[in-house]
Amino acid sequence: MSDALDFLPEFLLLATFVTGILWLLDRYRWRPRREAAAAELEARTPPPQRESDGYRQAREALLREPAAMEWGGSFFPVLAVVLVLRSFVVEPFVIPSGSMIPTLEVGDYILVNKFTYGLRLPVVRTEILDLGEPARGDVMVFFPPHLDRYFIKRVIGLPGDHIRYADKRLTVNGEAVPLDYLGSLPPENPQVAVFEETLGGVEHRVWVEPRRGELSFEHVVPAGHYFMMGDNRDRSQDSRYWGDVPERNIVGRAFAIWMHKEPGLSWPSFERVGTIR
């Protein structure tokens, strides 16, 4: 999955830093100066004149925030809260491709838990607190090893796992992953076979195109890496093509769909709202 807002983490961090500097300058430098100037004006103005419009206007002018603070520093608290929530708690994404059909459809708006697998610093991705590891069957957002863009796939292989994929069947550590046939789509001219797959105790549906060629392989996942595949098995560019995902490239676990909107001019729908499995 690519995200049209790839630049947002860097932009949000920069905006928070700049507005934070403005807020600190105003809090500890500009505001005390304004207040001191207003106090000086009050001290040299006779009490009867302090009720005049001219005095009030002059005092308000001295206390007025500069434009840089009004339009910049005032946003710092909001940006700081957004940065913390987005970096360490929950981040929203929109699905732009069909590689995870039928679990996730194009136009699904999802939420990603950023602390399930540990807390990481934004942009640099350095882990500062280990809270857990990805589990087989999780739907995970990450950066692939060859691109600096968000992707979303399912965790198939953990470090040390032996993965085999042949004849449209997945085998993990010598055991075939349970696969139950549910039917074919579309009924009048079947192109896609729909299966219920159980991976790591997680039941989910996958699409397979029997007439389409496949990339068969065997692979052992190296330490500190994860093997990822899309649920739309024959329409997914994943670890079969570009390799394993290093641990430091993990973003978080996708856990919910909160809205769906078809591309283009269309109204949002909430029929697909629910947990992701």
Side-chain angles (χ1 to χ4, degrees):
M1 176 186 70
S2 63
D3 181 8
L5 299 180
D6 279 359
F7 69 93
L8 187 55
E10 292 83 357
F11 174 80
L12 182 59
L13 186 63
L14 178 61
T16 305
F17 176 78
V18 171
T19 56
I21 293 297
L22 291 173
W23 184 85
L24 288 172
L25 285 172
D26 185 73
R27 177 66 177 82
Y28 295 104
R29 186 180 180 88
W30 297 336
R31 188 189 304 173
R33 289 182 176 181
R34 296 195 303 269
E35 292 174 348
E40 182 181 352
L41 174 65
E42 181 178 1
R44 68 170 186 260
T45 302
Q49 296 182 15
R50 295 175 190 171
E51 301 300 324
S52 66
D53 291 339
Y55 170 81
R56 284 195 294 266
Q57 291 172 2
R59 189 175 186 278
E60 290 174 0
L62 290 173
L63 292 174
R64 186 176 299 123
E65 292 181 343
M69 180 57 200
E70 185 176 357
W71 295 101
S74 59
F75 288 108
F76 169 66
V78 176
L79 291 175
V81 170
V82 172
L83 178 64
V84 170
L85 291 177
R86 190 182 188 278
S87 300
F88 303 114
V89 184
V90 174
E91 185 170 3
F93 289 90
V94 59
I95 303 298
S97 71
S99 68
M100 282 295 290
I101 292 174
T103 302
L104 298 172
E105 298 182 0
V106 176
D108 281 346
Y109 284 71
I110 67 171
L111 295 175
V112 174
N113 186 319
K114 299 294 291 288
F115 60 85
T116 298
Y117 307 135
L119 298 181
R120 289 174 170 80
L121 294 176
V123 181
V124 296
R125 309 172 197 164
T126 302
E127 186 178 70
I128 57 176
L129 182 61
D130 184 9
L131 296 175
E133 302 293 336
R136 194 180 294 112
D138 285 357
V139 177
M140 189 169 79
V141 173
F142 57 92
F143 292 94
H146 67 304
L147 283 175
D148 193 26
R149 297 168 63 186
Y150 294 112
F151 271 55
I152 184 168
K153 308 290 180 186
R154 191 176 296 276
V155 178
I156 302 297
L158 306 178
D161 280 351
H162 181 274
I163 307 297
R164 183 174 185 268
Y165 190 74
D167 300 324
K168 312 288 185 178
R169 291 299 304 268
L170 180 64
T171 302
V172 179
N173 296 327
E175 296 186 5
V177 174
L179 203 64
D180 296 324
Y181 176 72
L182 299 180
S184 296
L185 298 171
E188 62 276 5
N189 182 26
Q191 301 292 323
V192 175
V194 183
F195 293 88
E196 184 85 2
E197 182 179 79
T198 304
L199 183 64
V202 179
E203 295 181 352
H204 57 277
R205 294 186 178 185
V206 297
W207 277 14
V208 172
E209 298 181 31
R211 303 176 188 176
R212 190 179 179 90
E214 69 174 29
L215 180 64
S216 300
F217 68 91
E218 287 193 48
H219 176 68
V220 176
V221 184
H225 291 71
Y226 297 87
F227 192 89
M228 315 298 297
M229 290 178 65
D231 290 347
N232 194 352
R233 292 289 159 80
D234 294 306
R235 300 281 180 174
S236 173
Q237 289 288 322
D238 47 42
S239 289
R240 291 173 289 180
Y241 298 91
W242 37 249
D244 304 288
V245 176
E247 188 275 338
R248 73 178 303 272
N249 285 16
I250 292 173
V251 175
R253 182 177 64 86
F255 68 93
I257 301 170
W258 63 275
M259 188 180 75
H260 178 84
K261 182 183 178 300
E262 293 294 326
L265 297 176
S266 61
W267 290 101
S269 167
F270 299 95
E271 294 179 357
R272 289 182 50 76
V273 169
T275 58
I276 297 171
R277 62 184 182 92

mmCIF file with all atom_site columns, all heavy atoms in Angstrom, residues 58-78:
data_model
loop_
_atom_site.group_PDB
_atom_site.id
_atom_site.type_symbol
_atom_site.label_atom_id
_atom_site.label_alt_id
_atom_site.label_comp_id
_atom_site.label_asym_id
_atom_site.label_entity_id
_atom_site.label_seq_id
_atom_site.pdbx_PDB_ins_code
_atom_site.Cartn_x
_atom_site.Cartn_y
_atom_site.Cartn_z
_atom_site.occupancy
_atom_site.B_iso_or_equiv
_atom_site.pdbx_formal_charge
_atom_site.auth_seq_id
_atom_site.auth_comp_id
_atom_site.auth_asym_id
_atom_site.auth_atom_id
_atom_site.pdbx_PDB_model_num
ATOM 1   N N   . ALA A 1 58 ? -4.006 51.800 23.444 1.00 0.00 ? 58 ALA A N   1
ATOM 2   C CA  . ALA A 1 58 ? -2.550 51.740 23.521 1.00 0.00 ? 58 ALA A CA  1
ATOM 3   C C   . ALA A 1 58 ? -2.096 50.497 24.291 1.00 0.00 ? 58 ALA A C   1
ATOM 4   O O   . ALA A 1 58 ? -1.127 49.833 23.904 1.00 0.00 ? 58 ALA A O   1
ATOM 5   C CB  . ALA A 1 58 ? -2.018 53.006 24.191 1.00 0.00 ? 58 ALA A CB  1
ATOM 6   N N   . ARG A 1 59 ? -2.810 50.171 25.371 1.00 0.00 ? 59 ARG A N   1
ATOM 7   C CA  . ARG A 1 59 ? -2.452 48.992 26.161 1.00 0.00 ? 59 ARG A CA  1
ATOM 8   C C   . ARG A 1 59 ? -2.685 47.705 25.365 1.00 0.00 ? 59 ARG A C   1
ATOM 9   O O   . ARG A 1 59 ? -1.859 46.775 25.403 1.00 0.00 ? 59 ARG A O   1
ATOM 10  C CB  . ARG A 1 59 ? -3.249 48.974 27.455 1.00 0.00 ? 59 ARG A CB  1
ATOM 11  C CG  . ARG A 1 59 ? -2.805 47.909 28.461 1.00 0.00 ? 59 ARG A CG  1
ATOM 12  C CD  . ARG A 1 59 ? -3.567 48.048 29.771 1.00 0.00 ? 59 ARG A CD  1
ATOM 13  N NE  . ARG A 1 59 ? -3.045 47.140 30.772 1.00 0.00 ? 59 ARG A NE  1
ATOM 14  C CZ  . ARG A 1 59 ? -3.386 45.849 30.850 1.00 0.00 ? 59 ARG A CZ  1
ATOM 15  N NH1 . ARG A 1 59 ? -4.269 45.353 30.001 1.00 0.00 ? 59 ARG A NH1 1
ATOM 16  N NH2 . ARG A 1 59 ? -2.853 45.096 31.795 1.00 0.00 ? 59 ARG A NH2 1
ATOM 17  N N   . GLU A 1 60 ? -3.812 47.638 24.651 1.00 0.00 ? 60 GLU A N   1
ATOM 18  C CA  . GLU A 1 60 ? -4.097 46.456 23.823 1.00 0.00 ? 60 GLU A CA  1
ATOM 19  C C   . GLU A 1 60 ? -3.051 46.285 22.738 1.00 0.00 ? 60 GLU A C   1
ATOM 20  O O   . GLU A 1 60 ? -2.654 45.153 22.406 1.00 0.00 ? 60 GLU A O   1
ATOM 21  C CB  . GLU A 1 60 ? -5.493 46.570 23.215 1.00 0.00 ? 60 GLU A CB  1
ATOM 22  C CG  . GLU A 1 60 ? -6.621 46.422 24.235 1.00 0.00 ? 60 GLU A CG  1
ATOM 23  C CD  . GLU A 1 60 ? -7.983 46.697 23.619 1.00 0.00 ? 60 GLU A CD  1
ATOM 24  O OE1 . GLU A 1 60 ? -8.030 46.994 22.401 1.00 0.00 ? 60 GLU A OE1 1
ATOM 25  O OE2 . GLU A 1 60 ? -8.989 46.624 24.346 1.00 0.00 ? 60 GLU A OE2 1
ATOM 26  N N   . ALA A 1 61 ? -2.588 47.409 22.160 1.00 0.00 ? 61 ALA A N   1
ATOM 27  C CA  . ALA A 1 61 ? -1.560 47.342 21.128 1.00 0.00 ? 61 ALA A CA  1
ATOM 28  C C   . ALA A 1 61 ? -0.250 46.791 21.682 1.00 0.00 ? 61 ALA A C   1
ATOM 29  O O   . ALA A 1 61 ? 0.443  45.997 21.024 1.00 0.00 ? 61 ALA A O   1
ATOM 30  C CB  . ALA A 1 61 ? -1.333 48.721 20.516 1.00 0.00 ? 61 ALA A CB  1
ATOM 31  N N   . LEU A 1 62 ? 0.089  47.172 22.899 1.00 0.00 ? 62 LEU A N   1
ATOM 32  C CA  . LEU A 1 62 ? 1.316  46.682 23.510 1.00 0.00 ? 62 LEU A CA  1
ATOM 33  C C   . LEU A 1 62 ? 1.237  45.189 23.848 1.00 0.00 ? 62 LEU A C   1
ATOM 34  O O   . LEU A 1 62 ? 2.244  44.475 23.796 1.00 0.00 ? 62 LEU A O   1
ATOM 35  C CB  . LEU A 1 62 ? 1.626  47.481 24.777 1.00 0.00 ? 62 LEU A CB  1
ATOM 36  C CG  . LEU A 1 62 ? 2.073  48.930 24.576 1.00 0.00 ? 62 LEU A CG  1
ATOM 37  C CD1 . LEU A 1 62 ? 2.173  49.639 25.931 1.00 0.00 ? 62 LEU A CD1 1
ATOM 38  C CD2 . LEU A 1 62 ? 3.400  48.992 23.845 1.00 0.00 ? 62 LEU A CD2 1
ATOM 39  N N   . LEU A 1 63 ? 0.059  44.715 24.218 1.00 0.00 ? 63 LEU A N   1
ATOM 40  C CA  . LEU A 1 63 ? -0.116 43.316 24.609 1.00 0.00 ? 63 LEU A CA  1
ATOM 41  C C   . LEU A 1 63 ? -0.439 42.392 23.440 1.00 0.00 ? 63 LEU A C   1
ATOM 42  O O   . LEU A 1 63 ? -0.445 41.171 23.608 1.00 0.00 ? 63 LEU A O   1
ATOM 43  C CB  . LEU A 1 63 ? -1.230 43.204 25.655 1.00 0.00 ? 63 LEU A CB  1
ATOM 44  C CG  . LEU A 1 63 ? -0.930 43.808 27.030 1.00 0.00 ? 63 LEU A CG  1
ATOM 45  C CD1 . LEU A 1 63 ? -2.173 43.759 27.906 1.00 0.00 ? 63 LEU A CD1 1
ATOM 46  C CD2 . LEU A 1 63 ? 0.225  43.063 27.701 1.00 0.00 ? 63 LEU A CD2 1
ATOM 47  N N   . ARG A 1 64 ? -0.703 42.972 22.265 1.00 0.00 ? 64 ARG A N   1
ATOM 48  C CA  . ARG A 1 64 ? -1.130 42.159 21.119 1.00 0.00 ? 64 ARG A CA  1
ATOM 49  C C   . ARG A 1 64 ? -0.006 41.220 20.677 1.00 0.00 ? 64 ARG A C   1
ATOM 50  O O   . ARG A 1 64 ? 1.157  41.605 20.572 1.00 0.00 ? 64 ARG A O   1
ATOM 51  C CB  . ARG A 1 64 ? -1.544 43.056 19.968 1.00 0.00 ? 64 ARG A CB  1
ATOM 52  C CG  . ARG A 1 64 ? -2.136 42.287 18.768 1.00 0.00 ? 64 ARG A CG  1
ATOM 53  C CD  . ARG A 1 64 ? -2.617 43.237 17.700 1.00 0.00 ? 64 ARG A CD  1
ATOM 54  N NE  . ARG A 1 64 ? -3.658 44.109 18.218 1.00 0.00 ? 64 ARG A NE  1
ATOM 55  C CZ  . ARG A 1 64 ? -3.598 45.434 18.202 1.00 0.00 ? 64 ARG A CZ  1
ATOM 56  N NH1 . ARG A 1 64 ? -2.521 46.039 17.694 1.00 0.00 ? 64 ARG A NH1 1
ATOM 57  N NH2 . ARG A 1 64 ? -4.577 46.162 18.694 1.00 0.00 ? 64 ARG A NH2 1
ATOM 58  N N   . GLU A 1 65 ? -0.373 39.962 20.419 1.00 0.00 ? 65 GLU A N   1
ATOM 59  C CA  . GLU A 1 65 ? 0.609  38.985 19.948 1.00 0.00 ? 65 GLU A CA  1
ATOM 60  C C   . GLU A 1 65 ? 1.082  39.337 18.547 1.00 0.00 ? 65 GLU A C   1
ATOM 61  O O   . GLU A 1 65 ? 0.289  39.787 17.716 1.00 0.00 ? 65 GLU A O   1
ATOM 62  C CB  . GLU A 1 65 ? -0.004 37.581 19.913 1.00 0.00 ? 65 GLU A CB  1
ATOM 63  C CG  . GLU A 1 65 ? -0.327 36.996 21.271 1.00 0.00 ? 65 GLU A CG  1
ATOM 64  C CD  . GLU A 1 65 ? -0.909 35.602 21.146 1.00 0.00 ? 65 GLU A CD  1
ATOM 65  O OE1 . GLU A 1 65 ? -1.345 35.253 20.031 1.00 0.00 ? 65 GLU A OE1 1
ATOM 66  O OE2 . GLU A 1 65 ? -0.923 34.878 22.145 1.00 0.00 ? 65 GLU A OE2 1
ATOM 67  N N   . PRO A 1 66 ? 2.366  39.130 18.234 1.00 0.00 ? 66 PRO A N   1
ATOM 68  C CA  . PRO A 1 66 ? 2.837  39.347 16.866 1.00 0.00 ? 66 PRO A CA  1
ATOM 69  C C   . PRO A 1 66 ? 2.204  38.336 15.924 1.00 0.00 ? 66 PRO A C   1
ATOM 70  O O   . PRO A 1 66 ? 1.766  37.266 16.339 1.00 0.00 ? 66 PRO A O   1
ATOM 71  C CB  . PRO A 1 66 ? 4.351  39.142 16.978 1.00 0.00 ? 66 PRO A CB  1
ATOM 72  C CG  . PRO A 1 66 ? 4.535  38.313 18.194 1.00 0.00 ? 66 PRO A CG  1
ATOM 73  C CD  . PRO A 1 66 ? 3.436  38.703 19.136 1.00 0.00 ? 66 PRO A CD  1
ATOM 74  N N   . ALA A 1 67 ? 2.170  38.675 14.634 1.00 0.00 ? 67 ALA A N   1
ATOM 75  C CA  . ALA A 1 67 ? 1.523  37.806 13.643 1.00 0.00 ? 67 ALA A CA  1
ATOM 76  C C   . ALA A 1 67 ? 2.144  36.415 13.615 1.00 0.00 ? 67 ALA A C   1
ATOM 77  O O   . ALA A 1 67 ? 1.445  35.413 13.456 1.00 0.00 ? 67 ALA A O   1
ATOM 78  C CB  . ALA A 1 67 ? 1.598  38.456 12.265 1.00 0.00 ? 67 ALA A CB  1
ATOM 79  N N   . ALA A 1 68 ? 3.467  36.337 13.781 1.00 0.00 ? 68 ALA A N   1
ATOM 80  C CA  . ALA A 1 68 ? 4.135  35.038 13.745 1.00 0.00 ? 68 ALA A CA  1
ATOM 81  C C   . ALA A 1 68 ? 3.604  34.118 14.837 1.00 0.00 ? 68 ALA A C   1
ATOM 82  O O   . ALA A 1 68 ? 3.435  32.917 14.629 1.00 0.00 ? 68 ALA A O   1
ATOM 83  C CB  . ALA A 1 68 ? 5.641  35.223 13.901 1.00 0.00 ? 68 ALA A CB  1
ATOM 84  N N   . MET A 1 69 ? 3.343  34.697 16.016 1.00 0.00 ? 69 MET A N   1
ATOM 85  C CA  . MET A 1 69 ? 2.818  33.883 17.107 1.00 0.00 ? 69 MET A CA  1
ATOM 86  C C   . MET A 1 69 ? 1.346  33.564 16.899 1.00 0.00 ? 69 MET A C   1
ATOM 87  O O   . MET A 1 69 ? 0.885  32.448 17.144 1.00 0.00 ? 69 MET A O   1
ATOM 88  C CB  . MET A 1 69 ? 3.016  34.618 18.436 1.00 0.00 ? 69 MET A CB  1
ATOM 89  C CG  . MET A 1 69 ? 2.486  33.852 19.648 1.00 0.00 ? 69 MET A CG  1
ATOM 90  S SD  . MET A 1 69 ? 3.228  32.218 19.791 1.00 0.00 ? 69 MET A SD  1
ATOM 91  C CE  . MET A 1 69 ? 2.050  31.397 20.842 1.00 0.00 ? 69 MET A CE  1
ATOM 92  N N   . GLU A 1 70 ? 0.593  34.527 16.424 1.00 0.00 ? 70 GLU A N   1
ATOM 93  C CA  . GLU A 1 70 ? -0.844 34.330 16.238 1.00 0.00 ? 70 GLU A CA  1
ATOM 94  C C   . GLU A 1 70 ? -1.133 33.230 15.235 1.00 0.00 ? 70 GLU A C   1
ATOM 95  O O   . GLU A 1 70 ? -2.047 32.430 15.421 1.00 0.00 ? 70 GLU A O   1
ATOM 96  C CB  . GLU A 1 70 ? -1.480 35.644 15.787 1.00 0.00 ? 70 GLU A CB  1
ATOM 97  C CG  . GLU A 1 70 ? -3.004 35.575 15.684 1.00 0.00 ? 70 GLU A CG  1
ATOM 98  C CD  . GLU A 1 70 ? -3.609 36.917 15.331 1.00 0.00 ? 70 GLU A CD  1
ATOM 99  O OE1 . GLU A 1 70 ? -2.843 37.912 15.223 1.00 0.00 ? 70 GLU A OE1 1
ATOM 100 O OE2 . GLU A 1 70 ? -4.836 36.976 15.161 1.00 0.00 ? 70 GLU A OE2 1
ATOM 101 N N   . TRP A 1 71 ? -0.332 33.173 14.149 1.00 0.00 ? 71 TRP A N   1
ATOM 102 C CA  . TRP A 1 71 ? -0.576 32.191 13.093 1.00 0.00 ? 71 TRP A CA  1
ATOM 103 C C   . TRP A 1 71 ? 0.350  30.979 13.179 1.00 0.00 ? 71 TRP A C   1
ATOM 104 O O   . TRP A 1 71 ? 0.166  30.025 12.452 1.00 0.00 ? 71 TRP A O   1
ATOM 105 C CB  . TRP A 1 71 ? -0.423 32.849 11.725 1.00 0.00 ? 71 TRP A CB  1
ATOM 106 C CG  . TRP A 1 71 ? -1.445 33.906 11.474 1.00 0.00 ? 71 TRP A CG  1
ATOM 107 C CD1 . TRP A 1 71 ? -1.279 35.256 11.569 1.00 0.00 ? 71 TRP A CD1 1
ATOM 108 C CD2 . TRP A 1 71 ? -2.806 33.695 11.120 1.00 0.00 ? 71 TRP A CD2 1
ATOM 109 N NE1 . TRP A 1 71 ? -2.460 35.903 11.301 1.00 0.00 ? 71 TRP A NE1 1
ATOM 110 C CE2 . TRP A 1 71 ? -3.420 34.963 11.009 1.00 0.00 ? 71 TRP A CE2 1
ATOM 111 C CE3 . TRP A 1 71 ? -3.582 32.558 10.877 1.00 0.00 ? 71 TRP A CE3 1
ATOM 112 C CZ2 . TRP A 1 71 ? -4.757 35.134 10.674 1.00 0.00 ? 71 TRP A CZ2 1
ATOM 113 C CZ3 . TRP A 1 71 ? -4.922 32.722 10.538 1.00 0.00 ? 71 TRP A CZ3 1
ATOM 114 C CH2 . TRP A 1 71 ? -5.490 33.997 10.445 1.00 0.00 ? 71 TRP A CH2 1
ATOM 115 N N   . GLY A 1 72 ? 1.346  31.031 14.045 1.00 0.00 ? 72 GLY A N   1
ATOM 116 C CA  . GLY A 1 72 ? 2.275  29.916 14.144 1.00 0.00 ? 72 GLY A CA  1
ATOM 117 C C   . GLY A 1 72 ? 2.282  29.275 15.504 1.00 0.00 ? 72 GLY A C   1
ATOM 118 O O   . GLY A 1 72 ? 1.831  28.140 15.685 1.00 0.00 ? 72 GLY A O   1
ATOM 119 N N   . GLY A 1 73 ? 2.787  30.006 16.495 1.00 0.00 ? 73 GLY A N   1
ATOM 120 C CA  . GLY A 1 73 ? 2.938  29.432 17.824 1.00 0.00 ? 73 GLY A CA  1
ATOM 121 C C   . GLY A 1 73 ? 1.643  28.971 18.450 1.00 0.00 ? 73 GLY A C   1
ATOM 122 O O   . GLY A 1 73 ? 1.631  28.036 19.249 1.00 0.00 ? 73 GLY A O   1
ATOM 123 N N   . SER A 1 74 ? 0.526  29.609 18.082 1.00 0.00 ? 74 SER A N   1
ATOM 124 C CA  . SER A 1 74 ? -0.756 29.218 18.675 1.00 0.00 ? 74 SER A CA  1
ATOM 125 C C   . SER A 1 74 ? -1.176 27.811 18.239 1.00 0.00 ? 74 SER A C   1
ATOM 126 O O   . SER A 1 74 ? -2.008 27.179 18.894 1.00 0.00 ? 74 SER A O   1
ATOM 127 C CB  . SER A 1 74 ? -1.838 30.232 18.316 1.00 0.00 ? 74 SER A CB  1
ATOM 128 O OG  . SER A 1 74 ? -1.986 30.335 16.914 1.00 0.00 ? 74 SER A OG  1
ATOM 129 N N   . PHE A 1 75 ? -0.613 27.308 17.121 1.00 0.00 ? 75 PHE A N   1
ATOM 130 C CA  . PHE A 1 75 ? -0.950 25.964 16.655 1.00 0.00 ? 75 PHE A CA  1
ATOM 131 C C   . PHE A 1 75 ? -0.091 24.887 17.315 1.00 0.00 ? 75 PHE A C   1
ATOM 132 O O   . PHE A 1 75 ? -0.351 23.696 17.141 1.00 0.00 ? 75 PHE A O   1
ATOM 133 C CB  . PHE A 1 75 ? -0.771 25.868 15.132 1.00 0.00 ? 75 PHE A CB  1
ATOM 134 C CG  . PHE A 1 75 ? -1.810 26.611 14.353 1.00 0.00 ? 75 PHE A CG  1
ATOM 135 C CD1 . PHE A 1 75 ? -1.484 27.778 13.691 1.00 0.00 ? 75 PHE A CD1 1
ATOM 136 C CD2 . PHE A 1 75 ? -3.116 26.159 14.292 1.00 0.00 ? 75 PHE A CD2 1
ATOM 137 C CE1 . PHE A 1 75 ? -2.443 28.480 12.970 1.00 0.00 ? 75 PHE A CE1 1
ATOM 138 C CE2 . PHE A 1 75 ? -4.082 26.846 13.574 1.00 0.00 ? 75 PHE A CE2 1
ATOM 139 C CZ  . PHE A 1 75 ? -3.743 28.019 12.911 1.00 0.00 ? 75 PHE A CZ  1
ATOM 140 N N   . PHE A 1 76 ? 0.932  25.300 18.047 1.00 0.00 ? 76 PHE A N   1
ATOM 141 C CA  . PHE A 1 76 ? 1.866  24.322 18.605 1.00 0.00 ? 76 PHE A CA  1
ATOM 142 C C   . PHE A 1 76 ? 1.190  23.265 19.478 1.00 0.00 ? 76 PHE A C   1
ATOM 143 O O   . PHE A 1 76 ? 1.460  22.061 19.301 1.00 0.00 ? 76 PHE A O   1
ATOM 144 C CB  . PHE A 1 76 ? 2.969  25.038 19.387 1.00 0.00 ? 76 PHE A CB  1
ATOM 145 C CG  . PHE A 1 76 ? 3.813  24.116 20.201 1.00 0.00 ? 76 PHE A CG  1
ATOM 146 C CD1 . PHE A 1 76 ? 4.637  23.181 19.593 1.00 0.00 ? 76 PHE A CD1 1
ATOM 147 C CD2 . PHE A 1 76 ? 3.762  24.158 21.597 1.00 0.00 ? 76 PHE A CD2 1
ATOM 148 C CE1 . PHE A 1 76 ? 5.415  22.314 20.351 1.00 0.00 ? 76 PHE A CE1 1
ATOM 149 C CE2 . PHE A 1 76 ? 4.533  23.294 22.353 1.00 0.00 ? 76 PHE A CE2 1
ATOM 150 C CZ  . PHE A 1 76 ? 5.360  22.375 21.733 1.00 0.00 ? 76 PHE A CZ  1
ATOM 151 N N   . PRO A 1 77 ? 0.326  23.622 20.443 1.00 0.00 ? 77 PRO A N   1
ATOM 152 C CA  . PRO A 1 77 ? -0.281 22.576 21.275 1.00 0.00 ? 77 PRO A CA  1
ATOM 153 C C   . PRO A 1 77 ? -1.066 21.551 20.455 1.00 0.00 ? 77 PRO A C   1
ATOM 154 O O   . PRO A 1 77 ? -1.001 20.344 20.726 1.00 0.00 ? 77 PRO A O   1
ATOM 155 C CB  . PRO A 1 77 ? -1.195 23.363 22.223 1.00 0.00 ? 77 PRO A CB  1
ATOM 156 C CG  . PRO A 1 77 ? -0.616 24.732 22.266 1.00 0.00 ? 77 PRO A CG  1
ATOM 157 C CD  . PRO A 1 77 ? -0.087 24.981 20.879 1.00 0.00 ? 77 PRO A CD  1
ATOM 158 N N   . VAL A 1 78 ? -1.802 22.028 19.441 1.00 0.00 ? 78 VAL A N   1
ATOM 159 C CA  . VAL A 1 78 ? -2.588 21.114 18.605 1.00 0.00 ? 78 VAL A CA  1
ATOM 160 C C   . VAL A 1 78 ? -1.667 20.192 17.815 1.00 0.00 ? 78 VAL A C   1
ATOM 161 O O   . VAL A 1 78 ? -1.866 18.970 17.768 1.00 0.00 ? 78 VAL A O   1
ATOM 162 C CB  . VAL A 1 78 ? -3.506 21.910 17.654 1.00 0.00 ? 78 VAL A CB  1
ATOM 163 C CG1 . VAL A 1 78 ? -4.244 20.961 16.719 1.00 0.00 ? 78 VAL A CG1 1
ATOM 164 C CG2 . VAL A 1 78 ? -4.495 22.747 18.458 1.00 0.00 ? 78 VAL A CG2 1
#
